[in-house]
């Protein structure tokens, strides 16, 4: 779980190099990837280059789901759900006139879901997350079998998704809460804005969002023991990858393995990845660069850094970032 631009693609790719693990990408997006058929603007592909149904890992797992539940996921990708992603696509198909209740539910859906983990826990009983989690766990087991893996790394990132899984999954779940220094995180998000003004306002919005998202994640993890979740700082992962992953594998209950060898190293016998729904760099990640992206030190002015520091205080301290501000 993480805010976007925190380095989750790097983390996932490295975790997936463990001999017993496999990365599935952002599993919550699978329905949407199936929906984006050949001919769509962005065709939904597995990182092996195939459509999920044609992929040697996802194909058999999806076929088994279709057989067990009598669904056709190629024809109706949202008929068997694992998350709320794609509600808009579904909604466009059934307009407000035909389905006003669906419209209301979609409009207030996120709020409705947050309230379940806040003041109105009874809402959890009437919402479909349990079923989505059950479906996701079922498919996780099937792809793990298909890829001969013991551990599935799901990079879906959404805080609510994460809490649903902790709450309802009948599989051992471990949460890695990935954080990144707000300045680096903000810069990574806004650096592509061409105009200075857009960059500035974008930077402030991104810093405010850094507080909102990381704060929500912490809140949703409140009360769960340290054996269920751990915080990982992007900066530590880049500065001391070997030690960081040893600690991480200890937390995950896996044997230690060196996942940081360059791919050219003959000892680095990494398996191919089959990830759906995620960052596009996964298609070109033949070699992984573990060096930290420190572009913000040149890109942000001192005034911008101070502004960001003001916005993210005091949460930055709680997450272990104050000493570097
Ligand atoms: Zn594949």
């Amino acid at each position: 779980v993480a805010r976007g631009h925190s380095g989750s693609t790097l983390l996932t790719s490295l975790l997936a190099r463990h001999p017993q693990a496999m990365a599935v990408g952002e599993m919550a997006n699978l329905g949407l990837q199936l929906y984006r058929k050949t001919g769509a603007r962005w065709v939904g592909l597995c990182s092996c280059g195939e459509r999920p149904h044609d992929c040697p890992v996802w194909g058999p797992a999806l076929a088994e789901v279709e057989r067990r539940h009598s669904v056709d996921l190629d024809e109706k990708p949202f008929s068997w759900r694992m998350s709320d992603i794609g509600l808009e696509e579904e909604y466009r198909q059934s307009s407000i006139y035909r389905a006003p209740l669906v419209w209301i539910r979609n409009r207030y859906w996120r709020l409705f879901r947050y309230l379940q983990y806040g003041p109105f826990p009874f809402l959890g009983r009437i919402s479909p997350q349990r079923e989505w989690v059950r479906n996701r766990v079922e498919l996780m087991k099937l792809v793990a079998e298909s890829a001969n893996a013991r551990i599935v790394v799901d990079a879906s990132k959404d805080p609510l998704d994460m809490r649903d899984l902790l709450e309802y999954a009948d599989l051992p779940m471990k949460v890695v809460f990935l954080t990144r220094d707000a300045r680096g995180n903000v810069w990574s998000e806004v650096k592509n804005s061409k105009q200075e003004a857009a960059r500035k306002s974008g930077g402030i919005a991104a810093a405010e969002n850094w507080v909102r998202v990381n704060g929500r994640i912490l809140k949703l993890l409140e009360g769960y023991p340290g054996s269920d979740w751990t915080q990982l700082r992007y900066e530590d992962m880049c500065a001391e990858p070997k030690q960081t992953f040893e600690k991480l594998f200890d937390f995950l209950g896996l044997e230690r393995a060196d996942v940081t060898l360059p791919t050219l190293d003959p000892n680095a016998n990494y398996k191919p990845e089959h990830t759906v729904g995620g960052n596009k760099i996964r298609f070109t990640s033949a070699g992984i660069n573990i060096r930290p992206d420190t572009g913000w030190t040149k890109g942000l002015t001192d005034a911008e850094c101070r502004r960001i520091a003001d916005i993210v205080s005091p949460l930055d301290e709680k997450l272990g970032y104050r000493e570097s501000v």
Side-chain angles (χ1 to χ4, degrees):
V1 68
R3 180 170 192 263
H5 301 280
S6 295
S8 70
T9 305
L10 177 64
L11 170 61
T12 314
S13 295
L14 291 171
L15 271 178
R17 286 176 166 184
H18 191 283
Q20 293 185 307
M22 78 174 290
V24 293
E26 298 181 20
M27 203 164 177
N29 277 329
L30 181 67
L32 195 58
Q33 295 292 77
L34 292 170
Y35 176 81
R36 292 174 172 163
K37 291 188 184 178
T38 314
R41 193 156 164 215
W42 294 285
V43 181
L45 297 174
C46 174
S47 55
C48 67
E50 298 287 347
R51 290 276 295 147
H53 274 94
D54 302 323
C55 158
V57 166
W58 287 97
L62 290 171
E64 180 59 17
V65 165
E66 292 175 328
R67 193 189 62 77
R68 284 184 193 170
H69 301 279
S70 311
V71 286
D72 182 347
L73 294 177
D74 189 42
E75 195 57 42
K76 289 188 171 166
F78 302 119
S79 58
W80 189 84
R81 279 193 163 278
M82 296 188 296
S83 76
D84 55 6
I85 291 175
L87 279 180
E88 291 115 53
E89 279 74 9
E90 201 172 43
Y91 158 61
R92 248 177 257 138
Q93 288 168 349
S94 57
S95 76
I96 180 170
Y97 305 105
R98 273 184 287 145
L101 275 175
V102 171
W103 184 84
I104 292 167
R105 188 190 70 180
N106 293 356
R107 186 85 176 67
Y108 296 102
W109 181 241
R110 300 297 292 186
L111 176 66
F112 177 75
R113 292 192 58 200
Y114 273 108
L115 290 174
Q116 289 168 36
Y117 293 124
F120 304 115
F122 65 91
L123 290 174
R125 265 177 272 145
I126 55 167
S127 70
Q129 284 91 276
R130 278 166 207 258
E131 190 191 319
W132 295 351
V133 169
R134 204 165 47 232
N135 290 347
R136 189 173 329 187
V137 167
E138 184 179 343
L139 188 55
M140 272 180 184
K141 286 180 180 166
L142 286 168
V143 282
E145 261 168 43
S146 179
N148 201 15
R150 245 191 81 214
I151 305 280
V152 173
V153 185
D154 183 348
S156 296
K157 295 212 285 284
D158 177 7
L160 277 167
D161 240 37
M162 171 277 290
R163 176 66 186 261
D164 292 341
L165 284 164
L166 269 178
E167 199 85 11
Y168 301 123
D170 64 347
L171 270 183
M173 285 287 161
K174 300 262 185 183
V175 175
V176 181
F177 174 19
L178 179 66
T179 57
R180 183 169 178 186
D181 185 299
R183 296 162 302 180
N185 189 211
V186 165
W187 178 245
S188 170
E189 181 170 325
V190 302
K191 66 183 171 195
N192 295 324
S193 312
K194 296 272 184 294
Q195 286 150 335
E196 184 126 351
R199 220 189 77 195
K200 243 178 202 145
S201 61
I204 291 167
E208 285 167 347
N209 190 261
W210 185 95
V211 176
R212 208 157 38 236
V213 174
N214 286 306
R216 265 184 201 155
I217 294 171
L218 266 187
K219 195 143 183 40
L220 287 166
L221 285 168
E222 230 168 52
Y224 282 94
S227 54
D228 282 351
W229 69 281
T230 189
Q231 184 197 345
L232 174 68
R233 302 193 331 162
Y234 165 81
E235 294 76 16
D236 297 337
M237 172 168 71
C238 295
E240 299 195 304
K242 199 162 182 282
Q243 293 88 325
T244 303
F245 278 93
E246 279 174 3
K247 261 201 260 171
L248 202 52
F249 290 135
D250 290 349
F251 162 73
L252 296 170
L254 287 172
E255 267 170 50
R256 289 181 174 186
D258 189 359
V259 294
T260 60
L261 295 168
T263 35
L264 292 172
D265 192 313
N267 294 320
N269 186 23
Y270 302 128
K271 51 207 176 308
E273 275 189 40
H274 292 279
T275 62
V276 288
N279 199 317
K280 284 216 176 56
I281 68 166
R282 69 203 164 91
F283 287 108
T284 57
S285 63
I288 299 178
N289 182 359
I290 311 183
R291 270 176 315 181
D293 171 5
T294 53
W296 67 269
T297 52
K298 291 199 186 81
L300 293 175
T301 64
D302 286 350
E304 284 171 328
C305 285
R306 277 196 301 276
R307 184 77 207 267
I308 292 171
D310 280 345
I311 294 172
V312 300
S313 170
L315 185 62
D316 60 335
E317 188 175 13
K318 209 169 173 183
L319 294 175
Y321 285 104
R322 184 60 63 83
E323 74 279 5
S324 54
V325 174

